[in-house]
Short mmCIF file of all heavy atoms in Angstrom, two decimals:
data_model
loop_
_atom_site.label_atom_id
_atom_site.label_comp_id
_atom_site.label_asym_id
_atom_site.label_seq_id
_atom_site.Cartn_x
_atom_site.Cartn_y
_atom_site.Cartn_z
N THR A 242 162.29 75.68 128.47
CA THR A 242 160.91 75.78 128.91
C THR A 242 160.36 74.25 129.16
O THR A 242 161.10 73.30 128.64
CB THR A 242 160.13 76.39 127.87
OG1 THR A 242 159.99 75.46 126.73
CG2 THR A 242 160.50 77.75 127.51
N PRO A 243 159.45 74.14 129.92
CA PRO A 243 158.93 72.86 130.29
C PRO A 243 158.46 71.84 129.03
O PRO A 243 158.55 70.79 129.07
CB PRO A 243 157.75 73.03 131.19
CG PRO A 243 158.07 74.36 131.73
CD PRO A 243 158.66 75.16 130.71
N LEU A 244 158.16 72.58 127.88
CA LEU A 244 157.62 71.74 126.83
C LEU A 244 158.74 71.73 125.73
O LEU A 244 158.48 71.47 124.66
CB LEU A 244 156.44 72.43 126.23
CG LEU A 244 155.26 72.55 127.24
CD1 LEU A 244 154.00 73.16 126.50
CD2 LEU A 244 154.91 71.20 127.56
N ALA A 245 160.02 71.89 126.08
CA ALA A 245 161.06 71.92 125.08
C ALA A 245 161.13 70.60 124.36
O ALA A 245 161.77 70.53 123.26
CB ALA A 245 162.48 72.13 125.78
N LYS A 246 160.75 69.51 124.99
CA LYS A 246 160.80 68.14 124.39
C LYS A 246 159.59 67.74 123.59
O LYS A 246 159.47 66.62 123.20
CB LYS A 246 161.20 67.13 125.40
CG LYS A 246 162.69 67.37 126.02
CD LYS A 246 163.07 66.25 126.91
CE LYS A 246 164.24 66.58 127.55
NZ LYS A 246 165.41 66.95 126.65
N GLU A 247 158.53 68.67 123.47
CA GLU A 247 157.32 68.32 122.90
C GLU A 247 157.39 68.53 121.38
O GLU A 247 157.19 69.67 120.84
CB GLU A 247 156.06 69.11 123.55
CG GLU A 247 155.89 68.77 125.02
CD GLU A 247 155.26 67.36 125.12
OE1 GLU A 247 154.65 66.85 124.15
OE2 GLU A 247 155.22 66.85 126.31
N TRP A 248 157.85 67.56 120.65
CA TRP A 248 157.90 67.59 119.12
C TRP A 248 156.86 66.73 118.58
O TRP A 248 157.25 65.50 118.22
CB TRP A 248 159.30 67.38 118.76
CG TRP A 248 160.21 68.34 119.00
CD1 TRP A 248 160.89 68.56 120.24
CD2 TRP A 248 160.60 69.51 118.27
NE1 TRP A 248 161.68 69.73 120.18
CE2 TRP A 248 161.58 70.33 118.92
CE3 TRP A 248 160.36 69.90 116.91
CZ2 TRP A 248 162.08 71.42 118.36
CZ3 TRP A 248 160.90 71.12 116.38
CH2 TRP A 248 161.79 71.85 117.19
N ASN A 249 155.63 67.01 118.63
CA ASN A 249 154.55 66.11 118.40
C ASN A 249 153.91 66.30 116.93
O ASN A 249 153.01 65.58 116.53
CB ASN A 249 153.48 66.22 119.42
CG ASN A 249 153.95 66.04 120.78
OD1 ASN A 249 154.52 64.97 121.10
ND2 ASN A 249 153.83 67.01 121.63
N LEU A 250 154.41 67.38 116.37
CA LEU A 250 153.70 67.69 114.95
C LEU A 250 154.43 67.45 113.78
O LEU A 250 155.69 67.47 113.76
CB LEU A 250 153.51 69.31 115.01
CG LEU A 250 152.63 69.85 116.13
CD1 LEU A 250 152.69 71.38 116.17
CD2 LEU A 250 151.15 69.31 115.98
N THR A 251 153.70 67.04 112.74
CA THR A 251 154.23 66.83 111.34
C THR A 251 153.61 67.86 110.56
O THR A 251 152.48 68.45 110.93
CB THR A 251 153.94 65.41 110.92
OG1 THR A 251 152.49 65.31 110.76
CG2 THR A 251 154.51 64.39 111.78
N PRO A 252 154.07 68.22 109.33
CA PRO A 252 153.38 69.09 108.57
C PRO A 252 151.98 68.60 108.17
O PRO A 252 151.03 69.42 108.04
CB PRO A 252 154.23 69.13 107.19
CG PRO A 252 155.71 68.76 107.67
CD PRO A 252 155.38 67.84 108.80
N GLN A 253 151.78 67.33 107.98
CA GLN A 253 150.44 66.80 107.59
C GLN A 253 149.59 67.08 108.76
O GLN A 253 148.26 67.36 108.52
CB GLN A 253 150.52 65.23 107.39
CG GLN A 253 151.46 64.98 106.11
CD GLN A 253 152.87 64.94 106.34
OE1 GLN A 253 153.25 65.15 107.37
NE2 GLN A 253 153.61 64.51 105.27
N ARG A 254 150.02 66.80 110.03
CA ARG A 254 149.11 67.14 111.20
C ARG A 254 148.63 68.60 111.25
O ARG A 254 147.52 68.87 111.58
CB ARG A 254 149.64 66.63 112.53
CG ARG A 254 148.78 66.81 113.76
CD ARG A 254 149.08 65.86 114.83
NE ARG A 254 148.25 66.10 116.02
CZ ARG A 254 146.95 65.85 116.15
NH1 ARG A 254 146.37 65.15 115.25
NH2 ARG A 254 146.33 66.10 117.31
N CYS A 255 149.66 69.52 111.08
CA CYS A 255 149.33 70.88 111.08
C CYS A 255 148.32 71.32 110.20
O CYS A 255 147.34 72.01 110.43
CB CYS A 255 150.62 71.68 110.81
SG CYS A 255 152.02 71.59 112.10
N LEU A 256 148.41 70.62 108.83
CA LEU A 256 147.38 70.98 107.89
C LEU A 256 145.96 70.43 108.25
O LEU A 256 145.01 71.09 108.00
CB LEU A 256 147.83 70.31 106.52
CG LEU A 256 148.96 70.94 105.87
CD1 LEU A 256 149.46 70.22 104.77
CD2 LEU A 256 148.73 72.43 105.43
N ARG A 257 146.05 69.32 108.87
CA ARG A 257 144.68 68.71 109.29
C ARG A 257 144.01 69.70 110.35
O ARG A 257 142.76 69.84 110.44
CB ARG A 257 144.81 67.29 109.88
CG ARG A 257 145.20 66.30 108.89
CD ARG A 257 145.23 64.83 109.48
NE ARG A 257 145.72 63.88 108.57
CZ ARG A 257 147.01 63.48 108.59
NH1 ARG A 257 147.72 63.92 109.55
NH2 ARG A 257 147.46 62.60 107.69
N ILE A 258 144.92 70.12 111.28
CA ILE A 258 144.30 70.99 112.40
C ILE A 258 143.81 72.33 111.79
O ILE A 258 142.78 72.80 112.21
CB ILE A 258 145.57 71.40 113.39
CG1 ILE A 258 145.94 70.06 114.12
CG2 ILE A 258 145.17 72.48 114.34
CD1 ILE A 258 147.19 70.16 114.96
N LEU A 259 144.53 72.86 110.76
CA LEU A 259 144.05 74.09 110.09
C LEU A 259 142.72 73.84 109.37
O LEU A 259 141.90 74.70 109.37
CB LEU A 259 145.08 74.61 109.17
CG LEU A 259 146.30 75.31 109.81
CD1 LEU A 259 147.44 75.57 108.79
CD2 LEU A 259 145.94 76.64 110.44
N ALA A 260 142.62 72.64 108.76
CA ALA A 260 141.47 72.37 107.91
C ALA A 260 140.30 72.18 108.97
O ALA A 260 139.22 72.71 108.64
CB ALA A 260 141.66 71.04 107.08
N MET A 261 140.52 71.42 110.07
CA MET A 261 139.37 71.31 111.01
C MET A 261 139.04 72.68 111.67
O MET A 261 137.78 73.06 111.68
CB MET A 261 139.94 70.42 112.23
CG MET A 261 138.85 70.18 113.32
SD MET A 261 138.82 71.24 114.57
CE MET A 261 140.44 70.92 115.58
N THR A 262 139.95 73.60 111.84
CA THR A 262 139.54 74.90 112.30
C THR A 262 138.72 75.65 111.27
O THR A 262 137.78 76.32 111.66
CB THR A 262 140.84 75.70 112.72
OG1 THR A 262 141.65 74.95 113.64
CG2 THR A 262 140.46 77.00 113.17
N ARG A 263 139.12 75.58 109.99
CA ARG A 263 138.35 76.23 108.91
C ARG A 263 136.98 75.66 108.93
O ARG A 263 135.90 76.46 108.81
CB ARG A 263 139.07 76.08 107.62
CG ARG A 263 138.29 76.53 106.47
CD ARG A 263 137.91 78.03 106.58
NE ARG A 263 139.07 78.96 106.46
CZ ARG A 263 139.04 80.18 106.95
NH1 ARG A 263 137.80 80.59 107.54
NH2 ARG A 263 140.08 80.96 106.80
N PHE A 264 136.81 74.35 109.04
CA PHE A 264 135.48 73.78 108.96
C PHE A 264 134.56 74.17 110.08
O PHE A 264 133.39 74.44 110.01
CB PHE A 264 135.42 72.32 108.98
CG PHE A 264 135.95 71.73 107.57
CD1 PHE A 264 136.93 70.87 107.56
CD2 PHE A 264 135.37 72.09 106.29
CE1 PHE A 264 137.32 70.21 106.30
CE2 PHE A 264 135.76 71.47 105.14
CZ PHE A 264 136.73 70.56 105.13
N VAL A 265 135.14 74.34 111.35
CA VAL A 265 134.35 74.76 112.47
C VAL A 265 134.13 76.25 112.51
O VAL A 265 133.08 76.73 112.98
CB VAL A 265 135.14 74.29 113.71
CG1 VAL A 265 134.31 74.87 114.91
CG2 VAL A 265 135.22 72.81 113.76
N CYS A 266 135.09 76.98 112.02
CA CYS A 266 134.96 78.39 111.85
C CYS A 266 135.07 78.96 110.44
O CYS A 266 136.08 79.55 110.01
CB CYS A 266 136.06 79.13 112.63
SG CYS A 266 136.09 78.57 114.43
N PRO A 267 133.90 78.64 109.58
CA PRO A 267 134.17 78.92 108.10
C PRO A 267 134.35 80.36 107.65
O PRO A 267 135.13 80.55 106.73
CB PRO A 267 132.96 78.19 107.63
CG PRO A 267 131.95 78.20 108.67
CD PRO A 267 132.73 78.08 109.99
N ASP A 268 133.66 81.26 108.45
CA ASP A 268 133.72 82.50 107.96
C ASP A 268 134.50 83.55 108.82
O ASP A 268 134.30 84.63 108.78
CB ASP A 268 132.26 83.12 107.87
CG ASP A 268 131.53 83.08 109.24
OD1 ASP A 268 132.01 82.30 110.13
OD2 ASP A 268 130.55 83.79 109.35
N VAL A 269 135.51 83.08 109.59
CA VAL A 269 136.29 83.74 110.45
C VAL A 269 137.75 83.78 109.85
O VAL A 269 138.18 82.91 109.25
CB VAL A 269 136.33 83.09 111.83
CG1 VAL A 269 137.42 83.57 112.77
CG2 VAL A 269 134.95 83.19 112.55
#
Side-chain angles (χ1 to χ4, degrees):
T242 65
L244 298 183
K246 299 187 183 303
E247 294 287 342
W248 290 82
N249 304 303
L250 297 171
T251 64
Q253 293 85 355
R254 180 157 175 81
C255 293
L256 290 171
R257 292 187 192 96
I258 292 167
L259 286 167
M261 184 270 288
T262 303
R263 172 57 69 200
F264 286 130
V265 177
C266 305
D268 59 340
V269 167

